[in-house]
Protein backbone atom coordinates (compact mmCIF):
# COMPACT_ATOMS: atom_id res chain seq x y z
CA UNK A 1 0.00 0.00 0.00
CA UNK A 2 1.67 3.18 -1.19
CA UNK A 3 0.22 6.50 -0.15
CA UNK A 4 2.14 9.45 -1.57
CA UNK A 5 2.37 12.46 0.74
CA UNK A 6 3.80 14.63 -2.03
CA UNK A 7 0.77 13.90 -4.22
CA UNK A 8 -1.53 14.69 -1.29
CA UNK A 9 0.27 17.98 -0.60
CA UNK A 10 0.04 18.92 -4.30
CA UNK A 11 -3.72 18.36 -4.36
CA UNK A 12 -4.19 20.11 -1.02
CA UNK A 13 -2.45 23.16 -2.46
CA UNK A 14 -4.86 23.00 -5.41
CA UNK A 15 -7.75 23.14 -2.93
CA UNK A 16 -6.15 26.09 -1.14
CA UNK A 17 -5.69 27.98 -4.41
CA UNK A 18 -9.41 27.68 -5.21
CA UNK A 19 -10.33 29.25 -1.87
CA UNK A 20 -13.60 28.94 0.09
CA UNK A 21 -16.06 26.57 -1.56
CA UNK A 22 -19.48 27.11 -0.04
CA UNK A 23 -22.32 25.02 -1.43
CA UNK A 24 -23.15 25.59 -5.11
CA UNK A 25 -20.84 28.59 -5.48
CA UNK A 26 -18.65 28.92 -8.56
CA UNK A 27 -15.56 27.99 -6.55
CA UNK A 28 -17.31 24.89 -5.23
CA UNK A 29 -18.17 23.85 -8.78
CA UNK A 30 -14.54 24.43 -9.77
CA UNK A 31 -13.34 22.15 -6.97
CA UNK A 32 -15.78 19.39 -7.95
CA UNK A 33 -14.54 19.67 -11.54
CA UNK A 34 -10.93 19.39 -10.32
CA UNK A 35 -11.75 16.25 -8.35
CA UNK A 36 -13.54 14.62 -11.26
CA UNK A 37 -10.73 15.46 -13.69
CA UNK A 38 -8.07 13.99 -11.38
CA UNK A 39 -10.16 10.87 -10.80
CA UNK A 40 -10.68 10.38 -14.52
CA UNK A 41 -6.93 10.80 -15.04
CA UNK A 42 -6.46 7.89 -12.64
CA UNK A 43 -8.68 5.77 -14.88
CA UNK A 44 -11.84 5.73 -12.77
CA UNK A 45 -15.32 6.74 -13.88
CA UNK A 46 -17.61 8.99 -11.87
CA UNK A 47 -21.37 8.67 -11.44
CA UNK A 48 -23.05 12.05 -11.02
CA UNK A 49 -26.04 12.90 -8.83
CA UNK A 50 -27.02 16.52 -9.64
CA UNK A 51 -29.63 18.50 -7.74
CA UNK A 52 -30.71 22.13 -7.39
CA UNK A 53 -30.73 24.56 -4.49
CA UNK A 54 -31.59 28.21 -3.99
CA UNK A 55 -28.29 30.02 -3.53
CA UNK A 56 -27.65 33.05 -1.32
CA UNK A 57 -24.40 34.93 -1.93
CA UNK A 58 -23.77 37.84 0.44
CA UNK A 59 -21.17 40.17 -1.05
CA UNK A 60 -20.96 43.18 1.32
CA UNK A 61 -22.00 43.89 4.89
CA UNK A 62 -22.12 47.13 6.91
CA UNK A 63 -23.68 48.48 10.08
CA UNK A 64 -23.90 52.11 11.19
CA UNK A 65 -25.63 54.57 13.49
CA UNK A 66 -28.04 56.16 11.03
CA UNK A 67 -28.20 59.44 12.96
CA UNK A 68 -24.46 60.07 13.37
CA UNK A 69 -23.31 57.92 10.40
CA UNK A 70 -20.78 56.34 12.76
CA UNK A 71 -19.72 52.90 11.54
CA UNK A 72 -20.25 49.96 13.89
CA UNK A 73 -17.60 47.32 13.11
CA UNK A 74 -19.00 43.92 12.21
CA UNK A 75 -17.56 40.42 11.89
CA UNK A 76 -19.51 39.34 8.83
CA UNK A 77 -22.99 38.21 7.83
CA UNK A 78 -25.06 35.35 9.14
CA UNK A 79 -25.07 32.93 6.17
CA UNK A 80 -28.37 32.71 4.28
CA UNK A 81 -29.96 35.22 6.67
CA UNK A 82 -31.10 37.74 4.11
CA UNK A 83 -30.27 40.30 1.43
CA UNK A 84 -31.05 44.03 1.51
CA UNK A 85 -31.18 46.68 -1.18
CA UNK A 86 -28.23 49.06 -1.40
CA UNK A 87 -29.80 51.41 1.16
CA UNK A 88 -30.21 48.56 3.64
CA UNK A 89 -32.82 48.39 6.39
CA UNK A 90 -33.27 50.88 9.23
CA UNK A 91 -34.74 50.54 12.68
CA UNK A 92 -34.30 51.39 16.33
CA UNK A 93 -32.51 48.89 18.55
CA UNK A 94 -34.47 46.35 20.56
CA UNK A 95 -32.56 43.89 22.74
CA UNK A 96 -34.04 40.40 22.56
CA UNK A 97 -36.16 39.55 25.60
CA UNK A 98 -38.42 36.66 24.59
CA UNK A 99 -39.65 34.85 21.51
CA UNK A 100 -43.08 36.42 22.01
CA UNK A 101 -41.95 40.05 22.28
CA UNK A 102 -44.25 41.98 19.90
CA UNK A 103 -42.17 45.14 20.44
CA UNK A 104 -39.57 43.71 18.06
CA UNK A 105 -41.77 44.84 15.15
CA UNK A 106 -39.95 47.34 12.95
CA UNK A 107 -36.81 47.11 15.07
CA UNK A 108 -33.28 45.83 14.58
CA UNK A 109 -33.03 43.16 17.26
CA UNK A 110 -29.83 42.55 19.21
CA UNK A 111 -29.26 38.95 20.36
CA UNK A 112 -26.37 38.11 22.69
CA UNK A 113 -24.62 34.83 21.90
CA UNK A 114 -22.45 33.36 24.63
CA UNK A 115 -19.83 30.87 23.53
CA UNK A 116 -20.54 28.52 26.41
CA UNK A 117 -18.84 25.39 27.72
CA UNK A 118 -20.71 22.09 28.00
CA UNK A 119 -19.64 18.63 29.15
CA UNK A 120 -18.74 16.38 26.24
CA UNK A 121 -20.80 13.56 27.73
CA UNK A 122 -23.95 15.45 26.69
CA UNK A 123 -22.92 15.09 23.05
CA UNK A 124 -20.52 12.15 22.99
CA UNK A 125 -20.12 8.71 24.51
CA UNK A 126 -16.39 8.01 24.79
CA UNK A 127 -15.39 4.35 24.98
CA UNK A 128 -11.62 4.65 24.43
CA UNK A 129 -8.83 7.02 23.50
CA UNK A 130 -5.43 6.78 21.86
CA UNK A 131 -2.72 7.05 22.98
CA UNK A 132 -4.15 5.49 26.09
CA UNK A 133 -2.66 8.05 28.49
CA UNK A 134 -3.21 11.14 26.32
CA UNK A 135 -5.17 14.04 27.77
CA UNK A 136 -8.36 15.00 25.98
CA UNK A 137 -10.62 17.46 27.77
CA UNK A 138 -13.98 16.49 29.24
CA UNK A 139 -15.74 19.64 28.06
CA UNK A 140 -16.23 21.44 24.77
CA UNK A 141 -16.56 25.15 23.99
CA UNK A 142 -17.07 25.48 20.28
CA UNK A 143 -18.71 28.40 18.43
CA UNK A 144 -20.56 25.93 16.20
CA UNK A 145 -22.75 24.88 19.14
CA UNK A 146 -23.62 28.35 20.41
CA UNK A 147 -24.25 29.77 16.94
CA UNK A 148 -26.58 26.96 15.92
CA UNK A 149 -28.74 27.53 19.00
CA UNK A 150 -29.43 31.15 17.95
CA UNK A 151 -31.60 30.14 15.00
CA UNK A 152 -34.80 29.94 17.05
CA UNK A 153 -34.32 33.50 18.30
CA UNK A 154 -33.60 34.83 14.80
CA UNK A 155 -36.78 33.19 13.54
CA UNK A 156 -38.74 34.67 16.45
CA UNK A 157 -37.44 38.15 15.60
CA UNK A 158 -38.60 37.72 12.01
CA UNK A 159 -41.98 36.31 13.07
CA UNK A 160 -42.55 39.37 15.27
CA UNK A 161 -41.80 41.81 12.45
CA UNK A 162 -38.17 42.80 13.09
CA UNK A 163 -36.37 44.24 10.06
CA UNK A 164 -32.88 42.98 10.96
CA UNK A 165 -30.84 41.14 13.55
CA UNK A 166 -27.46 41.82 15.18
CA UNK A 167 -25.80 38.84 16.87
CA UNK A 168 -23.24 39.76 19.54
CA UNK A 169 -20.48 37.25 20.30
CA UNK A 170 -19.58 37.01 24.01
CA UNK A 171 -17.03 34.89 25.94
CA UNK A 172 -14.92 34.37 22.82
CA UNK A 173 -11.78 35.99 21.41
CA UNK A 174 -12.21 38.34 18.48
CA UNK A 175 -9.69 36.16 16.63
CA UNK A 176 -12.09 33.20 16.78
CA UNK A 177 -15.30 35.21 16.35
CA UNK A 178 -14.18 36.86 13.11
CA UNK A 179 -15.50 35.64 9.71
CA UNK A 180 -17.30 32.58 11.03
CA UNK A 181 -19.65 30.89 8.55
CA UNK A 182 -22.16 30.26 11.31
CA UNK A 183 -24.77 29.06 11.74
CA UNK A 184 -24.88 26.99 8.56
CA UNK A 185 -27.72 24.55 9.27
CA UNK A 186 -30.42 27.02 8.14
CA UNK A 187 -31.98 27.64 4.77
CA UNK A 188 -32.84 31.21 3.73
CA UNK A 189 -34.15 33.07 6.80
CA UNK A 190 -35.50 36.16 5.09
CA UNK A 191 -34.16 38.63 7.66
CA UNK A 192 -30.71 40.28 7.19
CA UNK A 193 -28.47 39.44 10.13
CA UNK A 194 -24.90 40.31 11.04
CA UNK A 195 -22.33 39.33 13.67
CA UNK A 196 -20.53 41.89 15.87
CA UNK A 197 -18.05 41.49 18.71
CA UNK A 198 -18.91 42.14 22.36
CA UNK A 199 -16.92 45.42 22.36
CA UNK A 200 -19.74 46.93 20.28
CA UNK A 201 -22.36 46.37 22.99
CA UNK A 202 -21.92 49.85 24.49
CA UNK A 203 -22.42 51.52 21.10
CA UNK A 204 -25.59 49.48 20.54
CA UNK A 205 -26.90 50.36 24.00
CA UNK A 206 -26.29 54.07 23.33
CA UNK A 207 -28.26 53.79 20.09
CA UNK A 208 -31.11 52.17 22.01
CA UNK A 209 -31.08 54.69 24.87
CA UNK A 210 -30.94 57.70 22.53
CA UNK A 211 -33.47 56.15 20.14
CA UNK A 212 -30.98 56.54 17.31
CA UNK A 213 -31.78 54.04 14.55
CA UNK A 214 -29.14 51.82 13.01
CA UNK A 215 -28.82 50.93 9.35
CA UNK A 216 -27.91 47.38 8.38
CA UNK A 217 -26.85 46.77 4.78
CA UNK A 218 -26.27 43.28 3.44
CA UNK A 219 -26.02 43.21 -0.33
CA UNK A 220 -25.75 40.19 -2.57
CA UNK A 221 -27.79 37.85 -4.73
CA UNK A 222 -30.45 35.26 -4.09
CA UNK A 223 -30.70 32.84 -7.02
CA UNK A 224 -33.15 29.98 -7.46
CA UNK A 225 -32.54 26.55 -8.99
CA UNK A 226 -28.75 26.59 -9.01
CA UNK A 227 -27.27 23.19 -9.86
CA UNK A 228 -24.69 21.41 -7.74
CA UNK A 229 -23.80 17.73 -7.68
CA UNK A 230 -22.52 14.85 -5.63
CA UNK A 231 -20.74 12.00 -7.35
CA UNK A 232 -19.58 8.46 -6.71
CA UNK A 233 -16.64 6.32 -7.82
CA UNK A 234 -17.17 2.55 -7.90
CA UNK A 235 -14.21 0.20 -7.57
CA UNK A 236 -15.62 -3.28 -8.28
CA UNK A 237 -14.65 -6.03 -5.89
CA UNK A 238 -14.12 -9.72 -6.50
CA UNK A 239 -17.47 -10.39 -4.86
CA UNK A 240 -20.28 -8.08 -5.94
CA UNK A 241 -22.61 -8.80 -3.02
CA UNK A 242 -21.09 -6.42 -0.44
CA UNK A 243 -19.98 -2.80 -0.51
CA UNK A 244 -17.81 -0.54 1.60
CA UNK A 245 -18.82 3.12 1.30
CA UNK A 246 -16.15 5.79 1.91
CA UNK A 247 -17.66 9.28 1.99
CA UNK A 248 -16.86 12.90 2.60
CA UNK A 249 -18.25 16.27 1.48
CA UNK A 250 -16.78 18.70 -1.04
CA UNK A 251 -18.00 22.08 0.25
CA UNK A 252 -16.45 24.19 2.98
CA UNK A 253 -15.05 27.62 3.87
CA UNK A 254 -11.38 26.74 4.37
CA UNK A 255 -8.54 24.27 3.86
CA UNK A 256 -9.55 21.81 6.61
CA UNK A 257 -13.30 22.12 6.06
CA UNK A 258 -13.37 20.19 3.77
CA UNK A 259 -10.16 18.34 2.86
CA UNK A 260 -11.64 14.85 3.18
CA UNK A 261 -12.00 14.81 -0.61
CA UNK A 262 -8.22 15.19 -0.93
CA UNK A 263 -7.74 12.21 1.39
CA UNK A 264 -10.13 10.08 -0.72
CA UNK A 265 -8.38 11.20 -3.90
CA UNK A 266 -5.03 10.15 -2.39
CA UNK A 267 -6.44 6.72 -1.53
CA UNK A 268 -7.73 6.30 -5.09
CA UNK A 269 -4.26 7.24 -6.36
CA UNK A 270 -2.72 4.48 -4.19
CA UNK A 271 -5.29 1.92 -5.38
CA UNK A 272 -4.42 2.75 -8.98
CA UNK A 273 -0.66 2.96 -8.39
CA UNK A 274 -0.46 -0.42 -6.63
CA UNK A 275 -3.18 -2.04 -8.74
CA UNK A 276 -4.91 -3.10 -5.53
CA UNK A 277 -7.75 -5.60 -5.63
CA UNK A 278 -10.54 -5.77 -3.08
CA UNK A 279 -12.93 -8.48 -2.00
CA UNK A 280 -15.80 -6.03 -1.54
CA UNK A 281 -16.92 -3.33 -3.95
CA UNK A 282 -15.71 0.11 -2.85
CA UNK A 283 -17.96 3.13 -3.30
CA UNK A 284 -16.31 6.53 -2.84
CA UNK A 285 -18.89 9.23 -2.16
CA UNK A 286 -18.07 12.90 -2.80
CA UNK A 287 -21.08 14.72 -1.37
CA UNK A 288 -22.29 18.25 -2.03
CA UNK A 289 -24.60 20.16 0.30
CA UNK A 290 -23.06 20.04 3.77
CA UNK A 291 -23.23 23.85 4.03
CA UNK A 292 -26.87 23.87 2.94
CA UNK A 293 -28.21 20.83 4.80
CA UNK A 294 -31.89 21.95 4.80
CA UNK A 295 -31.89 22.04 0.99
CA UNK A 296 -29.57 19.10 0.42
CA UNK A 297 -30.47 16.50 3.02
CA UNK A 298 -33.59 14.37 3.21
CA UNK A 299 -36.01 15.34 5.99
CA UNK A 300 -33.47 17.64 7.65
CA UNK A 301 -30.72 15.05 7.80
CA UNK A 302 -27.13 15.55 6.67
CA UNK A 303 -26.41 15.93 2.94
CA UNK A 304 -25.23 12.31 2.62
CA UNK A 305 -28.86 11.23 3.11
CA UNK A 306 -29.63 12.47 -0.42
CA UNK A 307 -26.49 10.80 -1.76
CA UNK A 308 -27.54 7.47 -0.21
CA UNK A 309 -30.98 7.75 -1.78
CA UNK A 310 -29.53 8.56 -5.21
CA UNK A 311 -26.91 5.83 -4.93
CA UNK A 312 -29.57 3.28 -4.03
CA UNK A 313 -31.65 4.30 -7.05
CA UNK A 314 -28.59 3.99 -9.30
CA UNK A 315 -27.66 0.57 -7.95
CA UNK A 316 -31.23 -0.63 -8.43
CA UNK A 317 -31.20 0.61 -12.03
CA UNK A 318 -27.99 -1.34 -12.61
CA UNK A 319 -29.39 -4.49 -10.92
CA UNK A 320 -26.78 -4.26 -8.17
CA UNK A 321 -27.77 -5.77 -4.85
CA UNK A 322 -25.02 -5.28 -2.30
CA UNK A 323 -25.13 -5.60 1.46
CA UNK A 324 -23.76 -2.85 3.69
CA UNK A 325 -20.37 -4.03 4.93
CA UNK A 326 -19.05 -0.71 6.28
CA UNK A 327 -19.60 3.04 6.04
CA UNK A 328 -16.30 4.90 6.46
CA UNK A 329 -16.53 8.71 6.73
CA UNK A 330 -13.60 11.13 6.46
CA UNK A 331 -13.81 14.80 7.46
CA UNK A 332 -11.56 17.67 8.58
CA UNK A 333 -8.09 16.11 8.73
CA UNK A 334 -4.80 17.55 9.96
CA UNK A 335 -6.08 20.19 12.37
CA UNK A 336 -3.86 21.76 15.02
CA UNK A 337 -5.07 22.44 18.54
CA UNK A 338 -5.60 26.03 19.66
CA UNK A 339 -6.63 27.60 22.94
CA UNK A 340 -9.12 30.45 22.70
CA UNK A 341 -7.61 33.08 25.01
CA UNK A 342 -10.09 35.79 25.92
CA UNK A 343 -7.38 37.49 27.99
CA UNK A 344 -5.11 37.92 24.96
CA UNK A 345 -8.11 38.11 22.60
CA UNK A 346 -6.69 35.57 20.15
CA UNK A 347 -6.24 31.90 19.36
CA UNK A 348 -2.98 30.46 20.69
CA UNK A 349 -1.45 27.26 19.31
CA UNK A 350 -0.54 24.84 22.09
CA UNK A 351 1.78 22.63 20.05
CA UNK A 352 -0.61 19.66 19.90
CA UNK A 353 -2.65 18.06 17.15
CA UNK A 354 -6.37 18.64 17.42
CA UNK A 355 -8.14 15.48 18.66
CA UNK A 356 -9.77 13.42 15.94
CA UNK A 357 -13.13 11.98 16.94
CA UNK A 358 -13.81 8.46 15.69
CA UNK A 359 -17.36 7.15 15.83
CA UNK A 360 -17.45 3.34 15.69
CA UNK A 361 -20.91 1.79 15.76
CA UNK A 362 -20.07 -1.81 16.68
CA UNK A 363 -17.63 -3.54 19.00
CA UNK A 364 -15.97 -5.12 15.95
CA UNK A 365 -15.43 -1.68 14.43
CA UNK A 366 -14.10 -0.22 17.69
CA UNK A 367 -11.67 -3.16 18.00
CA UNK A 368 -10.58 -2.63 14.40
CA UNK A 369 -9.88 1.06 14.99
CA UNK A 370 -7.88 0.43 18.16
CA UNK A 371 -5.91 -2.42 16.55
CA UNK A 372 -5.08 -0.22 13.57
CA UNK A 373 -4.02 2.66 15.83
CA UNK A 374 -1.74 0.47 17.94
CA UNK A 375 -0.21 -1.13 14.85
CA UNK A 376 0.53 2.15 13.06
CA UNK A 377 3.10 4.82 13.83
CA UNK A 378 0.48 7.54 13.68
CA UNK A 379 0.64 11.05 15.10
CA UNK A 380 -2.16 12.78 16.93
CA UNK A 381 -4.83 12.09 19.52
CA UNK A 382 -7.95 10.01 18.94
CA UNK A 383 -11.19 9.80 20.90
CA UNK A 384 -13.22 6.66 20.11
CA UNK A 385 -16.96 7.24 20.44
CA UNK A 386 -20.05 5.07 20.52
CA UNK A 387 -22.61 6.79 18.27
CA UNK A 388 -25.99 8.19 19.20
CA UNK A 389 -28.51 8.67 16.39
CA UNK A 390 -29.32 12.25 17.38
CA UNK A 391 -25.84 13.29 18.55
CA UNK A 392 -23.53 12.23 15.75
CA UNK A 393 -21.42 14.98 14.19
CA UNK A 394 -20.77 14.96 10.47
CA UNK A 395 -21.70 13.16 7.31
CA UNK A 396 -21.40 9.71 8.86
CA UNK A 397 -24.71 10.20 10.65
CA UNK A 398 -26.99 9.28 7.70
CA UNK A 399 -25.09 6.02 7.20
CA UNK A 400 -25.61 5.09 10.84
CA UNK A 401 -29.28 6.09 10.66
CA UNK A 402 -29.71 3.94 7.55
CA UNK A 403 -28.29 0.83 9.22
CA UNK A 404 -24.69 0.90 8.02
CA UNK A 405 -21.99 -0.31 10.42
CA UNK A 406 -19.93 2.87 10.65
CA UNK A 407 -16.48 4.23 11.38
CA UNK A 408 -16.49 8.02 11.07
CA UNK A 409 -13.42 10.23 11.41
CA UNK A 410 -14.14 13.90 12.09
CA UNK A 411 -11.92 16.69 13.36
CA UNK A 412 -13.46 19.62 15.23
CA UNK A 413 -10.80 22.35 15.49
CA UNK A 414 -12.06 25.60 16.98
CA UNK A 415 -11.77 27.56 13.72
CA UNK A 416 -13.44 24.80 11.68
CA UNK A 417 -16.12 27.10 10.24
CA UNK A 418 -14.06 30.25 9.69
CA UNK A 419 -13.22 31.59 6.27
CA UNK A 420 -9.73 30.53 5.14
CA UNK A 421 -6.72 31.86 7.06
CA UNK A 422 -3.36 30.44 8.25
CA UNK A 423 -5.16 29.09 11.33
CA UNK A 424 -7.37 26.89 9.14
CA UNK A 425 -4.52 25.29 7.18
CA UNK A 426 -3.93 21.60 7.94
CA UNK A 427 -0.66 20.12 9.09
CA UNK A 428 0.22 17.96 6.08
CA UNK A 429 2.14 15.35 8.06
CA UNK A 430 -0.79 14.87 10.43
CA UNK A 431 -3.27 14.82 7.55
CA UNK A 432 -1.14 12.20 5.80
CA UNK A 433 -0.82 10.05 8.94
CA UNK A 434 -4.58 10.15 9.46
CA UNK A 435 -5.22 9.25 5.82
CA UNK A 436 -2.75 6.37 6.12
CA UNK A 437 -4.64 5.12 9.19
CA UNK A 438 -7.97 5.37 7.35
CA UNK A 439 -6.50 3.53 4.35
CA UNK A 440 -5.22 0.78 6.65
CA UNK A 441 -8.68 0.42 8.21
CA UNK A 442 -10.22 0.27 4.75
CA UNK A 443 -7.92 -2.56 3.67
CA UNK A 444 -8.32 -4.44 6.97
CA UNK A 445 -12.12 -4.11 6.88
CA UNK A 446 -12.17 -5.52 3.36
CA UNK A 447 -10.55 -8.69 4.69
CA UNK A 448 -12.67 -8.76 7.86
CA UNK A 449 -16.17 -8.19 6.50
Amino acid sequence: MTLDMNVMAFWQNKLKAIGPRLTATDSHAKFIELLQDEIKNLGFNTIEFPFKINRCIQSSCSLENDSTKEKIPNLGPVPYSGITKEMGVKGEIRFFQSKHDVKMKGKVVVIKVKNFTIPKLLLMHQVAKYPRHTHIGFSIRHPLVAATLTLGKIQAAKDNGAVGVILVWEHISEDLANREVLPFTNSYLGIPSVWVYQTQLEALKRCRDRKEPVRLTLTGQYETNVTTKSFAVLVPGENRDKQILINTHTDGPNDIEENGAIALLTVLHAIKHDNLKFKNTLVFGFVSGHFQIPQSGIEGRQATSRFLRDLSMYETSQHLEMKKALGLTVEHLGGLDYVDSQKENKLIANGLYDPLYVYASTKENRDLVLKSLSGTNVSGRYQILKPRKNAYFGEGQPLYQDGWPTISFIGMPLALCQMASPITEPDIQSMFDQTKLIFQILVASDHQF
Side-chain angles (χ1 to χ4, degrees):
M1 300 186 297
T2 307
L3 284 179
D4 191 324
M5 188 166 75
N6 290 328
V7 168
M8 169 179 278
F10 174 79
W11 282 328
Q12 180 66 29
N13 283 331
K14 290 274 191 179
L15 177 153
K16 180 179 178 179
I18 292 173
R21 306 154 310 284
L22 298 179
T23 308
T25 56
D26 293 344
S27 56
H28 182 215
K30 184 177 180 180
F31 182 56
I32 293 172
E33 182 181 8
L34 169 69
L35 291 170
Q36 290 190 286
D37 286 346
E38 296 293 348
I39 288 167
K40 289 175 183 176
N41 289 339
L42 292 173
F44 298 105
N45 295 320
T46 62
I47 304 154
E48 297 184 353
F49 304 122
F51 61 97
K52 296 181 184 295
I53 72 165
N54 298 330
R55 181 174 73 176
C56 176
I57 297 179
Q58 296 156 313
S59 52
S60 69
C61 182
S62 68
L63 184 66
E64 67 178 19
N65 181 320
D66 196 58
S67 297
T68 65
K69 306 305 178 185
E70 179 183 358
K71 296 291 185 182
I72 301 173
N74 72 84
L75 301 171
V78 173
Y80 277 75
S81 58
I83 299 291
T84 71
K85 296 180 180 180
E86 288 192 8
M87 291 301 295
V89 296
K90 183 176 76 170
E92 292 184 4
I93 290 291
R94 176 75 177 175
F95 276 72
F96 187 91
Q97 297 183 14
S98 80
K99 291 185 177 181
H100 307 291
D101 180 12
V102 296
K103 292 184 178 181
M104 291 190 281
K105 185 174 181 178
K107 302 293 199 300
V108 175
V109 174
V110 174
I111 301 173
K112 297 179 183 179
V113 183
K114 180 180 178 181
N115 191 33
F116 56 87
T117 301
I118 57 173
K120 281 186 178 178
L121 60 84
L122 295 179
L123 301 173
M124 304 169 180
H125 180 185
Q126 177 182 308
V127 293
K129 60 183 179 178
Y130 182 88
R132 185 177 177 183
H133 299 295
T134 193
H135 174 71
I136 300 176
F138 293 102
S139 61
I140 185 170
R141 184 165 66 92
H142 201 293
L144 170 64
V145 179
T148 302
L149 293 177
T150 64
L151 286 170
K153 292 182 179 180
I154 297 173
Q155 186 62 50
K158 180 192 175 186
D159 292 345
N160 282 281
V163 297
V165 168
I166 301 170
L167 299 181
V168 183
W169 271 123
E170 296 184 303
H171 298 274
I172 188 174
S173 72
E174 193 167 6
D175 203 15
L176 181 55
N178 192 33
R179 301 176 73 220
E180 289 279 3
V181 185
L182 288 173
F184 68 83
T185 56
N186 53 283
S187 55
Y188 192 71
L189 297 174
I191 180 167
S193 306
V194 64
W195 287 100
V196 303
Y197 193 55
Q198 59 193 15
T199 50
Q200 303 308 317
L201 266 175
E202 290 305 314
L204 295 173
K205 288 177 181 177
R206 284 196 300 272
C207 289
R208 176 199 61 189
D209 296 343
R210 297 172 183 174
K211 297 188 181 302
E212 295 173 339
V214 296
R215 186 177 297 274
L216 193 167
T217 306
L218 187 47
T219 61
Q221 292 178 306
Y222 182 78
E223 303 165 273
T224 60
N225 296 317
V226 177
T227 299
T228 184
K229 62 183 173 183
S230 301
F231 68 91
V233 179
L234 267 64
V235 181
E238 296 172 3
N239 302 321
R240 304 296 179 92
D241 61 341
K242 285 186 180 180
Q243 59 184 327
I244 297 174
L245 174 60
I246 310 99
N247 73 306
T248 188
H249 62 92
T250 56
D251 40 353
N254 58 55
D255 303 347
I256 292 176
E257 173 91 87
E258 176 57 69
N259 61 6
I262 302 300
L264 267 59
L265 187 56
T266 305
V267 169
L268 283 167
H269 177 271
I271 291 172
K272 178 66 174 181
H273 183 271
D274 289 354
N275 194 27
L276 295 179
K277 304 299 180 184
F278 291 84
K279 182 176 68 175
N280 299 293
T281 292
L282 307 184
V283 181
F284 289 81
F286 296 81
V287 176
S288 175
H290 184 74
F291 272 76
Q292 253 313 284
I293 288 172
Q295 297 191 72
S296 306
I298 304 298
E299 297 179 349
R301 298 161 64 204
Q302 298 269 358
T304 295
S305 60
R306 177 187 291 269
F307 174 83
L308 291 175
R309 184 198 66 183
D310 293 347
L311 177 66
S312 177
M313 292 171 63
Y314 170 80
E315 290 179 347
T316 299
S317 73
Q318 299 298 308
H319 308 290
L320 298 172
E321 295 184 10
M322 295 184 286
K323 296 179 181 178
K324 304 168 181 176
L326 177 67
L328 184 59
T329 304
V330 183
E331 297 179 82
H332 320 151
L333 302 183
L336 297 176
D337 198 19
Y338 287 83
V339 175
D340 186 35
S341 172
Q342 296 175 61
K343 181 179 180 181
E344 298 191 36
N345 201 27
K346 66 179 181 179
L347 288 167
I348 301 174
N350 64 11
L352 299 173
Y353 293 119
D354 194 69
L356 197 61
Y357 299 111
V358 187
Y359 291 98
S361 65
T362 66
K363 183 180 184 304
E364 291 77 13
N365 288 353
R366 291 190 284 274
D367 290 343
L368 175 58
V369 170
L370 289 169
K371 181 180 178 181
S372 299
L373 280 166
S374 60
T376 306
N377 184 21
V378 62
S379 59
R381 297 176 293 162
Y382 300 83
Q383 195 165 7
I384 318 304
L385 308 174
K386 185 177 180 181
R388 300 169 180 166
K389 283 191 176 181
N390 295 318
Y392 193 128
F393 287 115
E395 292 292 344
Q397 185 184 47
L399 281 75
Y400 180 63
Q401 292 170 330
D402 282 5
W404 287 78
T406 58
I407 299 175
S408 305
F409 288 83
I410 181 167
M412 291 285 288
L414 286 178
L416 180 65
C417 298
Q418 276 191 328
M419 297 297 275
S421 74
I423 289 173
T424 63
E425 293 180 12
D427 179 271
I428 291 297
Q429 183 63 60
S430 174
M431 180 180 172
F432 180 73
D433 287 349
Q434 291 166 355
T435 303
K436 186 167 60 176
L437 170 65
I438 291 162
F439 190 26
Q440 180 175 328
I441 289 173
L442 171 61
V443 172
S445 66
D446 183 60
H447 291 106
Q448 180 171 322
F449 300 120

